[in-house]
Amino acid sequence: MRDKATTLYIGPQHPGITGNMMVRVKVEGDTIVKATTEVGYLHRAFEKLQEKRNWLQSFTLMCRFCVPESDPMEESYARAVEAIEGREVPERAKYIRVMVLELARLASFMLWYGGQNGSLGLYTMGQWSVGDRNYILDLFEELTGGRVYHMYIWPGGVRKDLPKGFEQKVLKTMDYLEKRLGDYDDLMFDNAIFKKRTQGVGIVDKEKAIEHGVVGAVLRGCGIKSDIRIDDPYEVYDKLDFEVPTAEGGDIWARALVRRQEARQSIRIIRQVIADMPGGSFYNKIPNPQKWKIPAGDAYVRTESVRGEIGMYIASDGGLYPRRVHLRGAAYVHGITLLEDVLVGENLADISAIMNSLGTCPPEIER
Amino acid sequence: MQQLKANLIEHIKTSFKDAREKDYPNENRLDFYVNKQCIPSILTYAKDRLGYIHLSHIAIVDWLEDGEIELIYIIWSPEEKIKMFVRTRVERENSVMPNIDMIWRQANTYEREFREMYGIQFQGLEGEQDFLLEDWDGPPPMRRDFDTEAYADDTFFHRPGREDAQDVREAITKRSGEEIPDFAKKYSR
């Protein structure tokens, strides 16, 4: 019997799709011969809304760009505004920011562990890791009042100082999570199904990575050592000792190996910032937000998220409102042209695993 | 850093005589202002000859008062660790830009979005016409002169019970018979 090409619509409501988007695939048998992404299901016009919100009101929208890891957006917004204005940030605030960013990375890794395994039908990992993520969300709740959206890193520093005894709670949670990462290894990386379904699947080679502007763990998974925290350091990352893991192969397996090591590096960073945390002020107070004008100018800053480089371009015309806030999320690159390219030749059943592995986050694509 | 920047300025200005630079001495940032027709050639030159292999972002700003839209191509050299901002402006009316998705594939996504949201045509751009919007025939909605609130008022209707834009706290207290606490009164209309 001759195979006939069939068009299938995967999403936008589909448990294997990483958010509200659709992939239209043309398949022969169960091999994908063409993939086309379709987005536009959750555009919230954040960047348009910011035209009518003052600099502080705009900050409250930042964390909402992406649910799994909201803090890099807050941090990059704060840093871009500070760069245009020339506002100094207290040293203590910088250390607290790094601690929050790395906690957010860990929380996002936990979601990735669940999503990556869930996409292959391995649901136990998700139950473990999403449960363990709650311990980090408990910390966020105590520190910021919010579990997922924090609105904590704002221009001038951070919104509140650390509560009494908070550092010890963080260290205790890190000890627990470090032990759990070993359990995850047993469940995930020693799992024959996981190996079989990820090795040689969803390959991004070095040439393709550069052609598509790939960032983060996807780039490091094809052997290129690149990390914004090292290459273009911000806050206090240049004072910290940590490694940038890489792997060879460029497949889902390689990217998983990179993330496995990166989670441990985040714990290492958190312990360092707590040990080195200076005293003093945590906030360089901004003027009355209703009268707060930022000098004319622009800035572009980058933050390393779990999905890769987050870029924030902000332009000011000297007024009370941002002239332009323009986010560049890692998924903007990975989730459209790269995904369409990588899916060709792959098996229909691997779409979800590949999307998870590339860090496809539709809310970053449509802001 | 300053020596690297000086070399970069010399390279760019030798090949692109009309390019104007702006240096940010305390930052790893260097801006070049160029004519829009130079964009593909300067980006190709920077990528192939100078090692600026990473297109980090294409930012866009609508300068309504000037009748222009600015595009800022932000590229990064992993070797020199400098961010180069290649800036150009295009007129708002009948705006046409050269396409660069043959240099970096992800530029295709930016250009499709800008075509739809800012009304800029990119010469030779491939990819489906609809990106975020569907069957949209109105003005480009991310332009400064597109009033989202007025559009929503003209296009949609308010749900019954919202015509008077009543304050939610007052509506609840009216229904429940409870008083608004003193501390919350300042937030009511």
Side-chain angles (χ1 to χ4, degrees), chain A residues 273-327:
Chain A
V273 291
I274 288 177
D276 299 344
M277 182 85 66
S281 170
F282 60 92
Y283 180 38
N284 177 6
K285 196 171 186 312
I286 60 165
N288 178 350
Q290 303 294 341
K291 297 175 182 171
W292 185 28
K293 290 184 177 178
I294 302 292
D298 66 353
Y300 178 68
V301 303
R302 302 183 294 167
T303 305
E304 186 75 28
S305 76
V306 161
R307 296 172 307 287
E309 173 184 328
I310 299 283
M312 185 70 72
Y313 175 83
I314 296 183
S316 171
D317 53 16
L320 287 166
Y321 306 95
R323 181 71 192 205
R324 179 78 167 107
V325 176
H326 192 173
L327 175 85

Side-chain angles (χ1 to χ4, degrees), chain A residues 188-204:
Chain A
M188 181 171 171
F189 292 95
D190 290 343
N191 184 327
I193 297 172
F194 188 77
K195 283 183 186 170
K196 180 89 177 166
R197 292 289 303 275
T198 59
Q199 290 177 346
V201 177
I203 293 175
V204 180

Side-chain angles (χ1 to χ4, degrees), chain B residues 98-144:
Chain B
N99 167 22
I100 64 146
D101 71 356
M102 73 298 283
I103 309 173
W104 287 284
R105 281 292 297 149
Q106 82 268 29
N108 183 275
T109 310
Y110 285 98
E111 291 175 353
R112 284 175 65 202
E113 181 174 350
F114 297 165
R115 177 172 64 186
E116 196 170 72
M117 294 299 207
Y118 285 88
I120 299 175
Q121 296 304 314
F122 289 86
Q123 294 160 325
L125 175 63
E126 293 181 359
E128 295 189 18
Q129 194 72 27
D130 284 352
F131 180 57
L132 297 165
L133 303 172
E134 195 173 81
D135 299 332
W136 177 262
D137 56 4
M142 278 299 287
R143 286 196 174 198
R144 295 282 292 189

Side-chain angles (χ1 to χ4, degrees), chain B residues 36-71:
Chain B
K36 68 176 184 181
Q37 295 306 337
C38 292
I39 289 293
S41 49
I42 194 170
L43 293 178
T44 306
Y45 181 80
K47 183 186 179 194
D48 295 345
R49 304 281 293 276
L50 304 177
Y52 283 75
I53 57 172
H54 178 54
L55 173 67
S56 186
H57 192 34
I58 309 176
I60 185 166
V61 188
D62 182 1
W63 297 103
L64 178 63
E65 305 84 345
D66 302 340
E68 292 176 327
I69 293 175
E70 185 174 26
L71 286 105

